[in-house]
Amino acid sequence: MLTIALAAAVSAAPVGLLAHRQLRRRANAHALRIDTPNGIAESGFVTIGGIEQWIEIRGEDLANPVLLELHGGPGATNTCFANRTRAWERHFTIVRWDMRGAGKTFGRGAQGEVSFDRLFADALEVTRYVRERLHQDKVVLLANSFGSVLGLRLARNHPELYSAYVGTDQNITGGERDDSAFCAVVRRLRDAGKHAAAAKLEQMGPDATRWTAEQWGLHAKLATSSDPMLSEVLKKLIMPSMWFSPQHRLRDLKAGADGMKFSERIGVESVHFDAWREGTRFELPFFIFQGEYDSLMPAARARRYFDDVQAPHKEFALISEANHFAAFWQPEQFLELLLTRVRPVVTRTTVSA
C-alpha cells in the first residue's frame, strides 16, 4: 500500500503541490539545523558488508548516550522521521541506517547478497563503525518492527556491544502460534465488504512460515489498509514525513518505495525466527515500549514474551493512543519513556524533557 501511494505521489504530483513541498522542506531543513558546540549532524554512504550503505548521525551533544536504530519494513527507512524526533536529539545522539534493500542504500545500486543473516552481519558492522566513529564503548540498541527481530538476536548474542535493548512495535515470532492478529484482519475485511480479499487471506492461512514473499507482502498491505487507525497513521504520519523530508529528493522517495517491494523476500524469511527458541536470557537491560492498540504486533503477545525474559533490568510500558509506528506517532511520549526509563539505567543520571 505504501509502495503504491508513494509511486503515485512521485509520478503525478502537480506543480503547485511540488512548490508547496519545497517550502515545507526548507522549513523542515531549518528546524533540523544543529549548531551546538559539541553537536553532530552528518550523513553519507559508508562501506558496510561490501556495499555502500547510508548512515545518518545527529545530536546536540556528543556526550549524550548513542541510540542506534534498526528500522522496520523490511525496507522501511526511519530517516524521514527526523523532524518528528528532533527533540530526541537534545538528549541522545541518534544513528539511523538505511539497511540494504531500504531507502538511500537501495537507491545507490546493487545490493549484493540479501538475506536475514546478511542484515544481521551488516548490523554488527554498523555497530562497530558507530562505536569507533563516536568513541563509544557501548550504544543503546533501539529497534522497531522488523528491526526488532534482528534486534533481539543482536542483544542476546552481543551484550558487549550494547548498553541496553529497547524494542518498540516489538515483533515476536515463533513460540506458541497466535492467530488473533491474522483473524482480526480477515474480520475487518469481511466487515468492510471486501470478501475477495478476505478469501485470499483465508486461502493463504495464518501460518506465515508457509507464505511466499508475495503473500507476505499482500498480508502486510491488507493488515494496514483494513485498520482505520493504521490508515490514519499512513496518511498523517508516514506519507507527510516522507513527502516533506528535506533529506529526500523525489528519486529517493521512489527508491524507498521500490526498496520496500524488493525487501519482501527478507520479510518472509524473518517469520522463521523463533524468539523463544533462541532464548529469553539477556545480559543487558531490556525494555519494550509497545503501542497499546498495535494491531500488527499486539501488545499482549509482546508482554507474554517480555514476562519470560530474564535480564539484569527489564521494563515494559504501553504507549497510549498508539498503534504500530508508536514511537513516531507519539514522539514526545516515547522520549519521556527514554528519559525516565532508559537513560537513567545507561547513564545513572536523570534528565527531564
Side-chain angles (χ1 to χ4, degrees):
M1 182 178 183
L2 178 57
T3 305
I4 296 170
L6 278 175
V10 170
S11 62
V15 174
L17 183 59
L18 291 176
H20 174 63
R21 175 174 180 265
Q22 287 301 99
L23 289 173
R24 289 283 299 275
R25 290 177 75 230
R26 286 194 204 104
N28 285 342
H30 180 77
L32 287 177
R33 287 175 53 188
I34 292 178
D35 52 16
T36 51
N38 199 34
I40 185 171
E42 65 179 41
S43 59
F45 290 99
V46 177
T47 300
I48 300 292
I51 68 168
E52 291 188 306
Q53 303 199 37
W54 183 260
I55 296 176
E56 294 184 358
I57 305 176
R58 295 180 49 83
E60 293 189 3
D61 188 347
L62 284 166
N64 284 329
V66 176
L67 295 182
L68 170 58
E69 286 190 6
L70 301 180
H71 65 69
T77 172
N78 283 351
T79 52
C80 63
F81 297 124
N83 284 94
R84 295 281 298 181
T85 60
R86 180 65 181 87
W88 298 9
E89 296 167 3
R90 291 197 291 271
H91 310 284
F92 299 92
T93 298
I94 310 297
V95 181
R96 289 189 169 135
W97 157 49
D98 285 359
M99 301 179 193
R100 67 177 70 214
K104 293 191 178 186
T105 298
F106 180 77
R108 190 68 164 177
Q111 301 297 286
E113 177 193 351
V114 179
S115 68
F116 185 87
D117 287 343
R118 179 66 259 179
L119 291 187
F120 180 83
D122 286 351
L124 283 175
E125 194 171 338
V126 168
T127 300
R128 293 180 177 120
Y129 167 79
V130 170
R131 290 168 68 230
E132 181 177 349
R133 172 67 187 88
L134 298 178
H135 309 290
Q136 296 284 325
D137 182 45
K138 295 184 177 184
V139 300
V140 177
L141 188 61
L142 172 56
N144 67 281
S145 197
F146 164 78
S148 68
V149 183
L150 281 174
L152 288 180
R153 182 177 287 182
L154 287 165
R156 182 185 301 105
N157 293 358
H158 294 280
E160 76 280 4
L161 301 179
Y162 306 107
S163 56
Y165 173 78
V166 182
T168 185
D169 309 330
Q170 181 66 53
N171 192 336
I172 303 297
T173 52
E176 183 178 343
R177 204 172 82 194
D178 182 350
D179 299 340
S180 60
F182 177 88
C183 293
V185 178
V186 173
R187 185 169 58 252
R188 291 197 303 266
L189 290 169
R190 292 211 176 277
D191 290 346
K194 298 179 180 179
H195 300 291
K200 283 184 180 180
L201 286 191
E202 289 178 321
Q203 186 175 15
M204 287 163 46
D207 185 356
T209 63
R210 296 178 177 272
W211 295 348
T212 64
E214 291 74 19
Q215 288 173 327
W216 185 92
L218 175 64
H219 173 265
K221 173 186 173 182
L222 293 176
T224 302
S225 63
S226 65
D227 185 323
M229 192 173 185
L230 270 182
S231 296
E232 195 80 351
V233 169
L234 177 66
K235 290 185 290 186
K236 293 187 176 180
L237 169 65
I238 300 174
M239 291 296 293
S241 294
M242 300 189 80
W243 186 246
F244 296 121
S245 168
Q247 299 104 314
H248 294 82
R249 296 165 292 180
L250 290 177
R251 69 181 183 184
D252 294 324
L253 300 186
K254 185 178 186 305
D258 293 343
M260 290 187 68
K261 181 66 177 176
F262 173 85
S263 295
E264 288 176 357
R265 67 192 70 185
I266 309 171
V268 74
E269 186 181 350
S270 71
V271 301
H272 294 273
F273 175 93
D274 191 315
W276 275 278
R277 187 177 301 156
E278 292 220 354
T280 55
R281 180 181 292 278
F282 293 82
E283 303 301 327
L284 79 176
F286 185 93
F287 302 85
I288 291 180
F289 304 145
Q290 200 81 347
E292 66 172 328
Y293 300 124
D294 196 326
S295 58
L296 299 183
M297 316 297 173
R301 182 166 175 80
R303 180 74 206 209
R304 284 200 297 275
Y305 179 77
F306 173 85
D307 287 343
D308 288 340
V309 164
Q310 300 174 61
H313 180 100
K314 69 174 189 175
E315 296 188 44
F316 182 95
L318 293 176
I319 303 172
S320 63
E321 299 301 319
N323 197 304
H324 212 59
F325 303 98
F328 305 116
W329 184 252
Q330 298 283 13
E332 296 86 2
Q333 193 178 149
F334 195 79
L335 175 59
E336 184 67 17
L337 288 169
L338 289 174
L339 292 177
T340 59
R341 307 290 188 96
V342 180
R343 201 179 197 278
V345 172
V346 300
T347 66
R348 301 303 171 189
T349 61
T350 303
V351 177
S352 63

